[in-house]
């Protein structure tokens, strides 16, 4: 069987297709260099924008994670400080960066049979400082102590607030007139200042009166700025607490002294007991924990502030 030639019409169609193909392959036109550069420029802008977006998101995630961790550690530290200070039987500020508290056995973890000192302090030659806790009367950031928090921007942490409004506070015993003398024992007094309608707790001053040496005790203190009155409390029972300090008198802001004359002549009591049940306000320990992960620009700085009432340590 012999194959014949394709019909004339079919041949012409094939010839046209072949010609179109040859023309297409023969066409040397394409994209120019400028077009390629423009495309690359647009692609570079898009990729740069996406890269910036991803880097920003990653940096933000790290920043938020660090900030959360720092705040978490700060709040844990403040919670521990609150618990120990409120339960302490004694609080001593060694410096604005260090405080020592004495915890009764029941307040310790684990519970102990006797009271013991614990110290908190900010350690570091310069910011950032670290907050440490030591199971001793001193805190150095050494072996055996615990680093509680980091990234403190200031080491000025502790202040005994609403205390010492009387400034320099002295007691002077004397004997005059016919009043019954004070019984020989220790006496303590406190002077508070009333500022803006609020009573600020004051220092406690003590004196031991020997036998038959005084029938009056004079209190002298320094003026307190803004005070509208002073309130005098006294005749402490000798215990380390505020139980024996009771309200005695209120004096004008121009008066910075008061004399306790004890019992009147003919009385068998020396001195008369104080009928008032009003005790002076307790002192408070101010705490300021300023944390900052970026000291250069303070973009992450935050401060936790508290004013903790010294429930069991009025005298200190």
């Amino acid at each position: 069987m012999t194959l014949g030639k394709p019909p004339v019409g079919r041949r012409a169609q094939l010839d046209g297709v072949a010609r179109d193909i040859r023309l297409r392959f023969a066409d040397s036109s394409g994209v120019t260099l400028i077009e390629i550069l423009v495309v690359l420029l647009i692609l570079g802008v898009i990729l740069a924008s996406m890269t910036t977006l991803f880097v920003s998101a990653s940096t933000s995630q790290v920043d938020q994670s660090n900030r959360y961790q720092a705040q978490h550690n700060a709040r844990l530290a403040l919670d521990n400080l609150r618990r120990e200070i409120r339960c302490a039987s004694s609080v001593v500020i060694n410096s604005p960066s260090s405080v020592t508290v004495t915890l009764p056995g029941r307040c310790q973890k684990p519970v102990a049979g006797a009271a013991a000192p614990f110290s908190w302090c900010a350690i570091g030659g310069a910011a950032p400082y670290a907050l440490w806790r030591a199971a001793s009367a001193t805190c150095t950031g050494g072996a055996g102590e615990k680093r509680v928090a980091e990234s403190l921007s200031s080491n000025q942490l502790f202040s005994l607030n609403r205390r010492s409004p009387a400034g320099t506070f002295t007691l002077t015993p004397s004997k005059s007139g016919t009043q019954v003398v004070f019984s020989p024992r220790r006496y303590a007094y406190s002077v508070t200042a009333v500022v803006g309608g609020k009573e600020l707790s004051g220092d406690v001053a003590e004196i031991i009166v020997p036998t038959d040496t005084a029938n009056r005790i004079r209190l002298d203190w320094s003026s307190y700025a803004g005070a509208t009155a002073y309130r005098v409390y006294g005749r402490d029972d000798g215990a380390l607490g505020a139980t024996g300090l009771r309200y005695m008198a209120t004096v004008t802001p121009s008066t910075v002294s008061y004399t306790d004359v004890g019992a009147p002549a003919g009385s068998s009591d020396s001195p008369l007991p104080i009928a008032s049940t009003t005790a002076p306000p307790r002192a408070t320990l101010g705490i300021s924990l300023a944390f900052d992960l970026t000291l250069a620009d303070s973009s992450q700085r935050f401060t936790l502030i508290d004013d903790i009432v010294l429930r069991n340590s009025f005298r200190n």
Side-chain angles (χ1 to χ4, degrees), residues 41-243:
L41 178 61
I42 295 174
L43 182 61
V45 170
I46 295 174
L47 290 177
S49 300
M50 294 180 65
T51 301
T52 301
L53 179 63
F54 287 131
V55 170
S56 176
S58 176
T59 302
S60 177
Q61 191 273 334
V62 172
D63 175 82
Q64 292 298 325
S65 177
N66 290 340
R67 184 177 300 188
Y68 167 79
Q69 189 61 46
Q71 293 181 0
H72 178 68
N73 292 342
R75 289 188 173 90
L76 286 178
L78 185 57
D79 286 344
N80 288 333
L81 271 169
R82 283 194 190 109
R83 184 189 67 84
E84 292 195 354
I85 291 171
R86 286 172 178 167
C87 197
S89 60
S90 173
V91 177
V92 177
I93 294 185
N94 306 312
S95 70
S97 60
S98 175
V99 64
T100 299
V101 301
T102 300
L103 293 180
R106 69 180 186 281
C107 298
Q108 300 175 37
K109 291 185 176 181
V111 175
F118 293 84
S119 300
W120 294 76
C121 62
I123 298 295
Y129 304 94
L131 180 63
W132 289 75
R133 178 182 182 274
S136 64
T138 58
C139 178
T140 61
E145 301 179 9
K146 181 180 179 181
R147 187 195 298 261
V148 180
E150 299 178 334
S151 303
L152 284 167
S153 61
S154 172
N155 62 352
Q156 305 298 292
L157 311 183
F158 308 107
S159 61
L160 202 55
N161 297 337
R162 299 207 299 269
R163 189 140 189 253
S164 302
T168 303
F169 185 25
T170 60
L171 302 177
T172 305
S174 64
K175 188 176 180 181
S176 177
T178 59
Q179 287 90 355
V180 177
V181 295
F182 281 72
S183 298
R185 64 177 177 86
R186 179 175 61 183
Y187 292 87
Y189 297 84
S190 177
V191 177
T192 68
V194 179
V195 180
K198 185 174 184 179
E199 187 177 6
L200 311 183
S201 69
D203 267 333
V204 176
E206 299 179 348
I207 188 171
I208 296 177
V209 177
T211 303
D212 196 29
T213 59
N215 58 8
R216 59 185 61 209
I217 297 177
R218 178 185 171 96
L219 292 69
D220 291 279
W221 60 88
S222 302
S223 61
Y224 188 77
T228 57
Y230 297 102
R231 291 170 64 88
V232 180
Y233 299 83
R235 299 184 191 166
D236 188 272
D237 61 0
L240 291 178
T243 56

